[in-house]
Amino acid sequence: MENEITQSVLCLPYADKVLDEALSWGGDYAEIFVENTTVHSLELQDQRVSQTQQSLIYGAGIRVLKDSCTGYAYTMDLSMPAMMNAARFAATAGNGGERLSAAALPQVPAMPLLEDNVSIELMKKRLLLLDETVRNLDGRIIKVKAAVATRDQQVLFVNSQGCSFTDYRPRASVFLRVVMEQDGQTQMGFATLSLQKDFHQFSETDFTDLAKTAVDRTAFLFDAVQPEGGEMPVVMAPGASGILMHEAIGHAFEADFNRVGTSIFAGKMGQRVCRPEVTIVDDGTQAEDVGCLRWDDEGIPGQRTVLVDKGVLNSYMHDRISARHYGVEPTGNGRRESFRHAPQPRMRSTYMMAGESNPEDIIRSVKKGIYAQVFTNGQVQIGAGDFTFYMKQGYLIEDGHLTQPIRDINVIGNGPRALADISMVGNDLLIDHSASMCGKGGQSVPVSQGLPTVLVDKLVVG
Amino acid sequence: MKNKEITEYAMSLALKHGCQDVKVVLMQNNEDAIDLRDGKMERIHHALARSLVMNLFIDGRDGFFYTNKVEKDGLEAFIRQAVETTRMLEPDESHTLADPSLYYKGDGPALCNFDATLSQMDPQEKLALAMEADSQLVGSHPSIISAETRYSDRQYQGWYLISNGFQGYEECSRATLTSICTVEGTDGQHPMDGWGESRIFFKDMPRQGIAQTALERTLRKVGQRPVQSGKYTMIVESPVAGNLLVPMLSAMTGQALHQRTSFLQNCQDVQVGSPLLDVVDDPLIPGTRGASHFDEDGVATKRRMIFEEGRLRTYFIDTPSAHKLGLKPTTLGVHHMVFTPGQSTLEQLMGQAGKAILVTDFNGGNCDPSTGYFSYGIEGFLVQGGVIVQPVSGMNVTGNMLDLWKSLVAVGNDADPWEAELIPSLMFSDVNFSGI
């Protein structure tokens, strides 16, 4: 038992030795992150469930910190010699300083590896239901592509401060793409759903609702046009418009960018950055949300962090390194894609709290602008603060009314200016549960976002 | 077990458990990375990773499986379950292995795109290279807020085994040195930019110029702002010009065609761009990045025109798509893509343009694959009379891909020969920009 991992249990009987080795070059902190993840996906195309992808991801990452320097190595062999080798490499971050010892470890938990209990039959059944529902909704449909996926991650974590935990993180997702044809014109629409729960906990209604959403979105595109561009007011619809929070503000509030001074919000802690109606949080406590974390990936309990409190910058999102730098407690935002990666400050579920305005009043207040509803992707330049998000569908607003359907435009703004330009906040906060992935530093993690109806006085519309 | 033996063992297990055909790839990656910030070490990273990818074919069913647990003990259980899962699929006769007559026969010359020394050299050599670039950047200008230098390298080796008659091995490597700089800007902005260069062999890594280029590119961005909306000549700088080809290439895959999500449907040999749109995939030139004798299905690669004087000359048809579309399969994607260069340097293009926007980076945006409508955020410079007059950001460029490529009016001669995609700077007329 001393030198091996059993096939059915995730455990580290020699964690103390590995951590001691990791600290042998003068590192001041060391941790081991062990992961066993299984991914099952099934895809329907041309009315047949004819494709599957399955993955087994297994290994351990060892991180050593010396002040703000990180040493990282990973191994897919959890035998003691392989782990010690990885620890020796990560230890070089210590750069030959004073040798510390790991704190006495409590009993390091062991975690039985889960039996693979994903029901392929149930996944098939749901896909066929989705296909049938979609095709019955509109005679113009010519192609349906749908996929369901489960990702079940088991984690074992131990660090040199005596912290250890095990965690089970299920995630189930549904992806649907619809192609319609009308008068020789082809349009493609989509809808997705992703939650932190087991696949069998999705209801039939989840699938039929998703089908209707995708079909409505696709049909919408036949009448939609690319609008004339320029600078104009933008009303963000509730829900998926949380992409505004994610791109305009979220990334720039990640403390690693602020610690080194590159974020446009660096040095603004405690300053007023927008109107008092605006309160923005990043939340790791919402059950079933893909951003929900009982523990983050460096052993900090999941929590809710108020980033902007009534218009004042209240907190960045911290990992252990940035928290040390600022002399504050970590906020539970240390996340990593897998054992192959060191954690970094990342968003979880980022949203704006509801305000007091009636959504109809917000639309009525706009003479000429756009109403943004459905999005595909976004991006931000951290230093300059310029952010963009791609709006797949929305409406023109003319004299306070939604008029012409619009599509396929990029919306671009500057984070601090856009934040300051939020002039009305609706009372209809909605958290969006589309399958959103956030990329940073070569790592991708699931996130969610939300927003009530919000008016931004001016953004550049493509 | 050695890597090749793992592929043989995995295939024997799959066949034993009832597969009629099997494709197995064992991939090994060896990676090192060093990050320096403001003269201090910020991150050191090392990884040696193996993973196994399998396609199992049973009675017209095809499943894809991945694991990085490649020890003999665990493989049998993994493959047994993979076989069971594959059996639960609905049959689709289009899912077959490629025709063996198309496979690479192993008779090509060495492609010389692998540096075996990368995993053997003293890590101090890599650190010294990074520190040299870092020392040229840190403290070199009073406006610098943060200076980063990143060195990374990767060796890839892949062992391929396909049950209907293919066995192959390929290898490639890449070392990259990048400097990134953030400076004090105007209005509280912190402009950031960088410059990086990659080589196949460590010995070819440049020792000078990267840090200086990163700093120059960052400083010239100070004062960025949007300019007036309208139609401008657009010059897209070489390092990012390939971004505009991506939607075209994506729309040319067999999947996009048979799923009807391509704006390039029925365009074989059709004029889809200006005569200057001339692109070849040239995968067999030794010593170039991307060079490969075969694609991921084992099909032999060859030189072929993708666009020839504006006409679309080939789709990327995988075997299942070929069955569904009634077309002949081709190789998957591009390997070493060369855009036929023009005569002009970037500066000469700017001189020819009159009033133009030089795009040096894209900031988000997307393209609808079924219609070709696009909208991308951009940053760059307003150019007049051949000189930069204003740094630009916060603007979008919009249009339709087919219209855009028909408006290609000039092609530069400045593609980076060390890249896998040699795309020079490109100039388009009458492009719609949204700003103030």
Side-chain angles (χ1 to χ4, degrees):
Chain A
M1 187 66 182
E2 179 71 3
N3 281 338
E4 62 187 45
I5 298 290
T6 68
Q7 289 292 318
S8 57
V9 179
L10 213 53
C11 60
L12 280 176
Y14 38 76
D16 51 350
K17 293 185 178 65
V18 175
L19 288 172
D20 268 342
E21 185 66 33
L23 293 175
S24 64
W25 270 57
D28 52 40
Y29 171 87
E31 69 188 17
I32 310 170
F33 178 93
V34 186
E35 172 185 11
N36 186 83
T37 297
T38 55
V39 181
H40 292 77
S41 80
L42 216 56
E43 185 177 299
L44 175 144
Q45 196 169 284
D46 300 329
Q47 299 181 268
R48 281 194 279 197
V49 182
S50 60
Q51 291 183 53
T52 185
Q53 292 196 12
Q54 295 190 10
S55 304
L56 173 58
I57 299 155
Y58 176 81
I62 297 176
R63 178 173 71 151
V64 175
L65 301 183
K66 171 71 172 183
D67 301 323
S68 60
C69 179
T70 299
Y72 200 81
Y74 67 80
T75 173
M76 286 159 287
D77 176 357
L78 268 59
S79 68
M80 187 166 166
M83 294 284 281
M84 294 294 268
N85 269 342
R88 267 190 287 278
F89 180 86
T92 56
N95 205 18
E98 183 190 354
R99 178 173 185 148
L100 300 177
S101 290
L105 286 172
Q107 180 69 36
V108 177
M111 191 180 199
L113 290 182
L114 291 175
E115 290 288 318
D116 197 345
N117 61 355
V118 174
S119 169
I120 301 293
E121 280 303 332
L122 179 65
M123 292 168 84
K124 257 172 86 172
K125 197 172 153 190
R126 293 285 189 254
L127 281 174
L128 292 167
L129 168 73
L130 200 52
D131 187 60
E132 184 187 357
T133 308
V134 167
R135 288 178 187 276
N136 286 337
L137 283 170
D138 197 303
R140 294 172 292 179
I141 291 164
I142 55 171
K143 291 281 183 184
V144 178
K145 185 172 176 178
V148 291
T150 65
R151 187 180 195 278
D152 297 325
Q153 183 187 45
Q154 289 182 267
V155 168
L156 187 159
F157 176 91
V158 186
N159 75 14
S160 59
Q161 297 175 342
C163 167
S164 64
F165 71 87
T166 60
D167 201 5
Y168 168 59
R169 301 163 173 176
R171 189 167 91 230
S173 308
V174 189
F175 308 88
L176 176 59
R177 190 179 76 188
V178 174
V179 181
M180 288 185 184
E181 192 173 56
Q182 176 183 299
D183 302 329
Q185 197 186 38
T186 305
Q187 300 292 352
M188 185 187 87
F190 66 92
T192 63
L193 172 67
S194 189
L195 290 168
Q196 191 171 141
K197 59 184 186 181
D198 290 319
F199 180 77
H200 65 80
Q201 293 173 298
F202 279 142
S203 67
E204 283 196 10
T205 312
D206 289 327
F207 288 84
T208 50
D209 287 350
L210 198 72
K212 188 168 184 325
T213 301
V215 172
D216 287 348
R217 287 179 179 177
T218 313
F220 176 96
L221 296 173
F222 286 110
D223 298 320
V225 298
Q226 272 193 315
E228 192 177 325
E231 196 173 62
M232 61 186 77
V234 176
V235 176
M236 307 294 293
S241 296
I243 194 169
L244 174 73
M245 296 294 91
H246 186 96
E247 302 297 354
I249 296 137
H251 280 298
F253 278 30
E254 290 166 341
D256 48 350
F257 296 126
N258 288 281
R259 175 172 65 83
V260 298
T262 54
S263 167
I264 196 162
F265 285 102
K268 293 191 174 172
M269 189 56 62
Q271 294 182 20
R272 175 162 294 286
V273 290
C274 52
R275 288 180 169 84
E277 293 90 329
V278 176
T279 293
I280 301 166
V281 299
D282 182 75
D283 196 346
T285 67
Q286 299 293 310
E288 296 196 349
D289 194 293
V290 294
C292 179
L293 298 171
R294 282 165 289 281
W295 299 89
D296 76 359
D297 293 332
E298 45 179 18
I300 305 297
Q303 54 199 273
R304 178 178 182 271
T305 308
V306 178
L307 306 177
V308 174
D309 190 10
K310 298 185 178 69
V312 175
L313 206 168
N314 181 67
S315 176
Y316 297 129
M317 287 172 270
H318 290 287
D319 64 356
R320 285 182 182 273
I321 296 174
S322 66
R324 270 184 188 183
H325 174 86
Y326 284 100
V328 298
E329 290 297 313
T331 55
N333 287 91
R335 303 183 68 188
R336 60 179 108 202
E337 179 179 305
S338 76
F339 73 91
R340 295 186 178 97
H341 306 273
Q344 47 185 351
R346 304 299 296 267
M347 283 173 265
R348 298 164 298 200
S349 176
T350 312
Y351 54 89
M352 184 185 294
M353 302 298 290
E356 294 182 350
S357 297
N358 184 315
E360 288 76 26
D361 292 341
I362 295 176
I363 296 168
R364 259 196 296 274
S365 73
V366 176
K367 177 93 176 141
K368 185 182 177 200
I370 67 160
Y371 182 74
Q373 260 184 321
V374 179
F375 309 88
T376 58
N377 57 294
Q379 191 171 312
V380 64
Q381 313 266 17
I382 293 295
D386 289 339
F387 67 88
T388 74
F389 50 84
Y390 190 80
M391 193 209 75
K392 187 68 196 169
Q393 112 180 25
Y395 289 92
L396 283 185
I397 304 176
E398 295 171 294
D399 295 326
H401 297 283
L402 303 185
T403 57
Q404 170 67 48
I406 56 173
R407 61 177 296 175
D408 289 309
I409 49 168
N410 210 34
V411 179
I412 193 161
N414 183 270
R417 274 179 242 145
L419 196 55
D421 282 342
I422 293 174
S423 58
M424 295 179 84
V425 180
N427 56 13
D428 54 347
L429 169 64
L430 184 66
I431 304 294
D432 180 55
H433 290 297
S434 301
S436 297
M437 298 297 288
C438 170
K440 174 182 171 184
Q443 300 190 45
S444 184
V445 297
V447 293
S448 63
Q449 52 228 356
L451 201 72
T453 301
V454 156
L455 171 61
V456 186
D457 286 340
K458 53 178 189 277
L459 292 171
V460 171
V461 173
Chain B
M1 277 193 294
K2 290 184 178 170
N3 292 331
K4 187 171 173 232
E5 290 166 9
I6 292 172
T7 61
E8 291 162 352
Y9 179 64
M11 176 169 288
S12 68
L13 287 174
L15 294 172
K16 182 178 100 179
H17 286 287
C19 293
Q20 279 107 34
D21 272 313
V22 185
K23 183 173 89 174
V24 188
V25 186
L26 190 292
M27 298 178 287
Q28 178 167 299
N29 284 294
N30 201 332
E31 300 169 358
D32 277 320
I34 298 164
D35 294 358
L36 304 172
R37 183 184 294 277
D38 302 328
K40 293 182 188 164
M41 174 90 80
E42 186 175 63
R43 183 180 72 115
I44 181 163
H45 172 104
H46 171 72
L48 173 61
R50 287 194 301 180
S51 50
L52 184 74
V53 172
M54 302 183 74
N55 279 77
L56 306 184
F57 297 82
I58 310 172
D59 300 329
R61 297 161 172 87
D62 167 21
F64 175 89
F65 303 89
Y66 167 94
T67 180
N68 62 12
K69 225 171 174 176
V70 296
E71 292 78 28
K72 194 171 183 179
D73 291 348
L75 265 184
E76 179 145 18
F78 178 78
I79 290 172
R80 194 185 316 117
Q81 189 183 9
V83 170
E84 281 174 27
T85 303
T86 305
R87 287 190 193 282
M88 296 174 85
L89 297 173
E90 294 173 282
D92 181 340
E93 287 69 23
S94 70
H95 287 248
T96 65
L97 291 172
D99 177 349
S101 69
L102 300 175
Y103 286 153
Y104 170 58
K105 303 295 186 292
D107 49 356
L111 291 175
C112 308
N113 54 1
F114 183 75
D115 185 351
T117 69
L118 280 172
S119 55
Q120 297 159 4
M121 68 173 62
D122 183 346
Q124 292 297 324
E125 278 191 68
K126 301 174 183 179
L127 179 60
L129 178 71
M131 290 182 74
E132 193 177 334
D134 196 57
S135 67
Q136 294 163 23
L137 187 59
V138 174
S140 61
H141 195 278
S143 296
I144 293 177
I145 296 172
S146 178
E148 299 170 65
T149 301
R150 300 175 181 170
Y151 168 84
S152 64
D153 62 46
R154 176 174 179 253
Q155 289 176 320
Y156 166 82
Q157 293 167 281
W159 288 262
Y160 295 70
L161 190 58
I162 304 180
S163 57
N164 67 343
F166 179 75
Q167 187 172 323
Y169 166 79
E170 71 172 355
E171 58 186 16
C172 60
S173 64
R174 181 182 196 183
T176 303
L177 185 63
T178 305
S179 287
I180 299 168
C181 198
T182 307
V183 300
E184 285 290 355
T186 52
D187 297 333
Q189 291 191 340
H190 301 158
M192 178 192 292
D193 209 334
W195 189 252
E197 297 201 20
S198 297
R199 301 288 186 268
I200 293 170
F201 295 94
F202 184 85
K203 65 179 174 56
D204 294 328
M205 290 300 290
R207 304 277 162 175
Q208 296 287 331
I210 291 176
Q212 291 88 337
T213 306
L215 179 61
E216 285 165 19
R217 291 178 69 87
T218 311
L219 288 172
R220 68 180 185 166
K221 289 169 74 169
V222 173
Q224 284 178 310
R225 59 180 172 80
V227 296
Q228 196 71 39
S229 300
K231 285 193 185 294
Y232 292 83
T233 295
M234 174 171 76
I235 304 169
V236 185
E237 197 185 30
S238 167
V240 296
N243 291 28
L244 294 176
L245 264 183
V246 171
M248 299 286 277
L249 300 177
S250 301
M252 292 159 66
T253 64
Q255 266 284 321
L257 295 173
H258 77 73
Q259 285 300 302
R260 304 285 300 276
T261 56
S262 169
F263 63 90
L264 291 174
Q265 209 87 32
N266 304 317
C267 284
Q268 177 85 45
D269 298 323
V270 171
Q271 193 83 30
V272 297
S274 100
L276 295 174
L277 174 59
D278 201 79
V279 182
V280 65
D281 184 27
D282 211 348
L284 300 175
I285 306 173
T288 59
R289 283 198 45 225
S292 179
H293 285 299
F294 55 90
D295 70 8
E296 60 195 76
D297 281 347
V299 174
T301 58
K302 61 182 177 185
R303 186 179 194 277
R304 60 183 175 153
M305 293 305 298
I306 300 170
F307 300 103
E308 187 172 14
E309 296 183 353
R311 290 182 189 277
L312 190 158
R313 289 301 191 202
T314 186
Y315 287 122
F316 306 116
I317 309 291
D318 57 292
T319 302
S321 299
H323 290 308
K324 288 186 174 174
L325 293 162
L327 297 173
K328 284 187 178 173
T330 63
T331 48
L332 303 175
V334 291
H335 297 83
H336 182 75
M337 183 166 67
V338 181
F339 200 120
T340 304
Q343 303 294 322
S344 306
T345 63
L346 175 61
E347 291 69 28
Q348 288 167 333
L349 289 180
M350 287 161 56
Q352 294 161 21
K355 188 175 181 181
I357 291 179
L358 168 65
V359 173
T360 55
D361 205 357
F362 290 96
N363 186 8
N366 210 329
C367 176
D368 183 316
S370 56
T371 63
Y373 284 108
F374 67 84
S375 180
Y376 297 113
I378 61 102
E379 61 174 44
F381 301 90
L382 181 66
V383 173
Q384 276 180 315
V387 295
I388 286 172
V389 294
Q390 170 65 46
V392 167
S393 68
M395 296 188 74
N396 286 312
V397 55
T398 58
N400 187 284
M401 273 294 150
L402 292 173
D403 297 334
L404 178 79
W405 283 104
K406 283 174 182 159
S407 73
L408 178 67
V409 290
V411 178
N413 62 1
D414 54 347
D416 181 352
W418 299 97
E419 288 296 318
E421 296 171 355
L422 277 62
I423 318 285
S425 296
L426 304 173
M427 187 160 83
F428 302 87
S429 63
D430 292 327
V431 179
N432 199 27
F433 284 84
S434 304
I436 51 175

